[in-house]
Amino acid sequence: MSQSLARILSLVLALGLSCASPAAAQVYAGQAVAVDGDSLEIGSKRFRLFGIDALEARQTCTRREQAWQCGEEAAATLRGLIRDESVSCDQKDIDRYGRIVAVCTANRRDLAQVMVSMGLAVALREFTTDYVEWEELARQRGLGIWAAEFQRPSEFRAGDEESAREERAMLAEQQRRQSVRNAQELSRRAAASTSGVYYRNCAAARAAGAAPLYRGQPGYRSGLDADGDGIACEPYRGNRG
């Protein structure tokens, strides 16, 4: 087997392995915005709190024979917990909507644990038992939903048309993003197979001593040629004033 073919096969195997492990653990941190009682955003990334299911924002419960906007309270509580705090999220998985499922903390507090212990979310035993004890404690103390009549969030979503529309929209967006990733992957593999040389980015090309790359040279591709002048990874010239 030639060295060139061996490099191509190694690249394809590496790419395949990276695509098969989208949930590789990462830690994200920064200012966050609460979407509802169990999901939040840090920049362009959306996170779902691992191991719990909070009341939906539109969900209404009954407490002391009065309507209680329990879903709004859950969302407001999470907003309060992360306000002016840096949030750290330790990735556990990626759900089918493309959200990062993570254990998130703010001011050293596990946000999922706080939501469950206040009676504003239920523990998802099928994923972890970490929050079962806190749910039982909230139930014993009659906190939040445990002093009210309520539907489990999953049951509410199943009968709520707006939730169904949001789910379809999230799935469609996830499919669109996956299609883009697949197209990019095919482009990378095509570049590697046709030239036998592939640089993931300009830093890799420079590290290999190959930069700048000219159109037609092995390793050149339009994705590295930001200004489209036929020269990729040329030295940055900056503003001369």
Side-chain angles (χ1 to χ4, degrees), residues 114-125:
V114 175
M115 294 299 293
V116 170
S117 66
M118 293 179 71
L120 296 172
V122 296
L124 295 178
R125 290 164 169 77

Side-chain angles (χ1 to χ4, degrees), residues 17-29:
L17 289 172
S18 67
C19 289
S21 306
Q26 295 187 54
V27 177
Y28 302 82

Side-chain angles (χ1 to χ4, degrees), residues 1 5 25 35 46 49 56-57 65 71 77-79 106 142 147 162 189 216 220 228 238:
M1 181 184 295
L5 182 57
V35 177
R46 179 168 284 200
L49 297 182
E56 292 295 317
E65 300 184 354
T77 298
L78 185 57
R79 282 195 295 270
E162 182 62 26
R189 294 189 184 193
Y220 172 91

Side-chain angles (χ1 to χ4, degrees), residues 121-186:
V122 296
L124 295 178
R125 290 164 169 77
E126 62 268 36
F127 295 105
T128 180
T129 58
D130 289 353
Y131 304 111
V132 172
E133 178 183 351
W134 298 99
E135 181 186 280
E136 291 300 324
L137 189 59
R139 188 197 301 266
Q140 292 168 14
R141 293 177 174 176
L143 299 177
I145 55 177
W146 306 114
E149 296 177 19
F150 74 99
Q151 277 185 299
R152 287 190 169 267
S154 57
E155 295 172 355
F156 173 81
R157 288 191 296 271
D160 181 52
E161 181 55 35
E162 182 62 26
S163 294
R165 280 195 293 269
E166 290 176 356
E167 178 178 337
R168 289 193 294 268
M170 285 192 293
L171 284 173
E173 176 61 16
Q174 173 62 3
Q175 290 167 0
R176 185 194 68 79
R177 291 180 180 178
Q178 187 61 52
S179 295
V180 170
R181 287 193 291 267
N182 289 344
Q184 291 172 339
E185 187 70 17
L186 288 173

Side-chain angles (χ1 to χ4, degrees), residues 5 31 64 69 81 83 103 126 139 141 144 177 180 240:
L5 182 57
Q31 292 294 314
R64 303 185 193 94
Q69 302 299 319
L81 289 171
R83 185 177 293 118
V103 174
E126 62 268 36
R139 188 197 301 266
R141 293 177 174 176
R177 291 180 180 178
V180 170
R240 294 176 182 259

